[in-house]
Amino acid sequence: MAKLDKDEFNEMIFSRINSLISEYELIKENELIAVALSGGKDSVLTLHALKRYQEFLDYDLVAISVDEGIKGYRSHGIDAAVNNARDLGIELVQKSFLEDEGFALDDIYSEFKSACIPCGVFRRNILNKTAYELGADKIATGHNLDDEIQSFLMSFARGDTIKFSKFGPELDVIHPKLVPRIKPLWNTPEKDVGLWAVLNEIDIHLEECPYSHLSLRAKIKQFLNNNEDEYPGLKNNIMESFQKILTFENDISTNLNECKLCGEPTSSSICKACEIKQLVSQDCKSHIYDE
Ligand code: SF4
Ligand code: ZN
């Protein structure tokens, strides 16, 4: 790897992404793809990769950033999102928890076992609403191979097998108001994403979120990275087991309703975002979820 030059590396990483897009038909002609752009390395690579893929297919791109309201952290990410979108000539729609929900993550996180719980719920909610309003056919997220393995183990550890249906490079339409998601970096290891950003001197947001160390995901990530050195191939083995399970489980379908309070798609009668808003307004301590 040390001798690999930049052009060869770029060829390798973009060919793998292109093959995934074409193999799974993640994008179809004339679609509008909304890239969830945090400014971190994964979302920035997704934006660059989808811009390049326009060479092969005619479709449109827009980017959406969501400012969760994490003081001293998120604004740097937004700067990187703005710069990359501008350099690539892609429109960036900027959203925030404060404007959409009336509070910043910093204001409410202490009500939860982990800040990632409300963060994930409201970010997904705002992304979906925005992409839907823009008329996007799909949302492209920067989930890489390591993220996918972590998510798989998190669901496994919780016995939450319904979530297995959310794995794979694309999520089907299960409700007309839920914009389908694609993951162009689904089989790209995190270390390759980092190397791409460094080799190409890409403007990305490198800081760690101040809340991330509290999450189950961070602990699983640390476990995997520590043990991958000692047991090389560990991550691949988990991914392979997971793909075998997926072939058995991919007929899981979730029936979605519309939230009684806000109308967004949900598997219950009230969506997670509204449920959390009620908890926050009641000033309840919730320890039932963990991201
Ligand atoms: Fe949000 Fe958690 Fe990610 Fe921080 S680490 S941005 S709190 S999901
Ligand atoms: Zn709702």
Side-chain angles (χ1 to χ4, degrees):
M1 184 61 73
K3 288 189 184 142
L4 199 62
D5 79 16
K6 186 174 85 175
D7 292 341
E8 281 175 20
F9 183 80
N10 287 344
E11 173 62 24
M12 183 276 291
I13 198 166
F14 287 115
S15 304
R16 186 169 50 205
I17 297 170
N18 294 349
S19 302
L20 185 80
I21 296 173
S22 83
E23 186 187 337
Y24 286 87
E25 292 185 27
L26 297 186
I27 303 174
K28 300 209 171 62
E29 203 166 355
N30 297 325
E31 283 186 333
L32 172 62
I33 308 295
V35 178
L37 188 64
S38 67
K41 63 186 187 319
D42 304 297
S43 67
V44 170
L45 172 57
T46 305
L47 192 75
H48 283 251
L50 296 195
K51 176 74 185 177
R52 288 171 77 122
Y53 199 75
Q54 284 180 320
E55 269 177 46
F56 306 108
L57 196 67
D58 192 13
Y59 62 94
D60 289 320
L61 281 172
V62 63
I64 303 170
S65 66
V66 180
D67 183 344
E68 300 92 346
I70 304 172
K71 204 159 185 264
Y73 166 73
R74 178 48 78 213
S75 60
H76 302 152
I78 302 291
D79 291 344
V82 169
N83 294 341
N84 279 281
R86 186 199 54 227
D87 293 350
L88 295 173
I90 297 167
E91 183 199 352
L92 174 68
V93 177
Q94 296 190 52
K95 293 281 172 174
S96 71
F97 280 22
L98 199 57
E99 264 175 44
D100 267 57
E101 304 295 348
F103 48 75
L105 185 65
D106 285 340
D107 302 331
I108 60 156
Y109 81 95
S110 60
E111 304 289 334
F112 301 86
K113 192 170 174 182
S114 154
C116 302
I117 298 158
C119 188
V121 168
F122 290 113
R123 191 179 46 241
R124 276 191 295 275
N125 189 273
I126 293 172
L127 271 175
N128 186 66
K129 269 195 287 191
T130 310
Y132 183 79
E133 283 161 15
L134 290 168
D137 296 285
K138 281 160 194 160
I139 296 173
T141 63
H143 288 92
N144 61 42
L145 179 64
D146 290 61
D147 294 327
E148 193 76 350
I149 296 171
Q150 290 154 22
S151 299
F152 175 62
L153 288 181
M154 284 163 68
S155 299
F156 203 72
R158 291 174 180 148
D160 187 1
T161 52
I162 283 290
K163 281 253 176 69
F164 286 176
S165 61
K166 293 193 177 172
F167 296 121
E170 61 179 332
L171 295 185
D172 289 337
V173 193
I174 44 177
H175 188 281
K177 283 170 84 176
L178 197 63
V179 182
R181 298 190 161 221
I182 56 171
K183 304 172 193 166
L185 308 190
W186 184 69
N187 59 351
T188 300
E190 183 166 12
K191 64 175 179 9
D192 286 0
V193 185
L195 203 49
W196 167 79
V198 172
L199 283 174
N200 293 277
E201 296 175 23
I202 304 288
D203 179 3
I204 51 163
H205 182 216
L206 280 169
E207 288 156 53
E208 279 268 312
C209 169
Y211 301 127
S212 67
H213 66 285
L214 296 170
S215 67
L216 176 60
R217 178 178 294 279
K219 290 176 186 111
I220 288 184
K221 181 176 180 171
Q222 197 177 20
F223 165 84
L224 287 169
N225 287 343
N226 290 347
N227 286 287
E228 178 71 31
D229 293 339
E230 210 170 323
Y231 306 101
L234 179 93
K235 289 183 191 174
N236 261 340
N237 293 345
I238 294 173
M239 192 63 177
E240 276 172 22
S241 306
F242 146 49
Q243 281 170 317
K244 283 180 199 152
I245 291 174
L246 250 189
T247 59
F248 292 111
E249 299 283 349
N250 64 4
D251 58 344
I252 296 173
S253 60
T254 316
N255 287 325
L256 291 188
N257 316 305
E258 288 187 11
C259 172
K260 280 185 186 159
L261 298 177
C262 72
E264 284 298 293
T266 172
S267 53
S268 317
S269 54
I270 294 177
C271 77
K272 277 277 177 280
C274 288
E275 197 182 309
I276 289 181
K277 274 189 262 189
Q278 286 179 334
L279 284 172
V280 169
S281 63
Q282 288 163 13
D283 203 30
C284 282
K285 299 279 177 199
S286 167
H287 298 286
I288 33 181
Y289 314 108
D290 191 4
E291 180 79 8

